[in-house]
Amino acid sequence: MHAWRELLDGAPDDADALRGLDQIFTRAGDWAQLADVLDREVQAAPEGARKALLLRRADVARDQLDDPEGEREALAAAWREDPDDDDLTDRLLALYRERGDLDAVAEALET
């Protein structure tokens, strides 16, 4: 892991190093570190690859970190990548409803 971190110090957007750390933290169950790596992967990813990473980030926030705000942020970013994804729209709206954020539900439905 140390070698991957050193590589990232010199090239913070190195996709191979990010994937390596992603695998290490996933296997180790280090969810907070994984969330940080996923955030960096999203920033470094080409346009077509960001949605899947954001959905994974949302899942980690919900299932492993008990971080509803992190889940909401990741889902909203994924939705901006693909607003025509009905399943994603439903998931985001359900999260807003669950939180009682009816203004966000109304705003999302308007777009």
Side-chain angles (χ1 to χ4, degrees):
M1 180 171 61
H2 183 69
W4 290 115
R5 287 261 183 219
E6 283 184 12
L7 181 58
L8 278 179
D9 287 341
D13 294 336
D14 185 284
D16 290 331
L18 288 168
R19 274 192 301 277
L21 286 171
D22 181 319
Q23 292 173 358
I24 289 168
F25 293 136
T26 298
R27 278 190 234 128
D30 190 338
W31 307 115
Q33 290 286 344
L34 177 60
D36 289 340
V37 168
L38 286 169
D39 289 339
R40 291 175 74 171
E41 284 184 281
V42 168
Q43 296 301 316
E47 188 173 324
R50 289 191 292 255
K51 178 182 165 190
L53 290 165
L54 287 162
L55 290 174
R56 211 166 139 232
R57 174 65 171 90
D59 290 343
V60 168
R62 180 193 63 213
D63 298 337
Q64 307 301 331
L65 298 175
D66 191 28
D67 178 12
E69 184 60 23
E71 179 186 13
R72 185 204 60 77
E73 289 174 3
L75 285 177
W79 184 80
R80 286 190 296 274
E81 293 287 321
D82 185 5
D84 295 326
D85 182 330
D86 291 338
D87 291 334
L88 176 55
T89 301
D90 290 345
R91 182 174 170 189
L92 184 59
L93 291 175
L95 183 63
Y96 285 143
R97 281 189 210 104
E98 181 180 297
R99 295 179 56 186
D101 193 348
L102 299 181
D103 290 336
V105 171
E107 185 179 319
L109 290 174
E110 288 175 1
T111 57

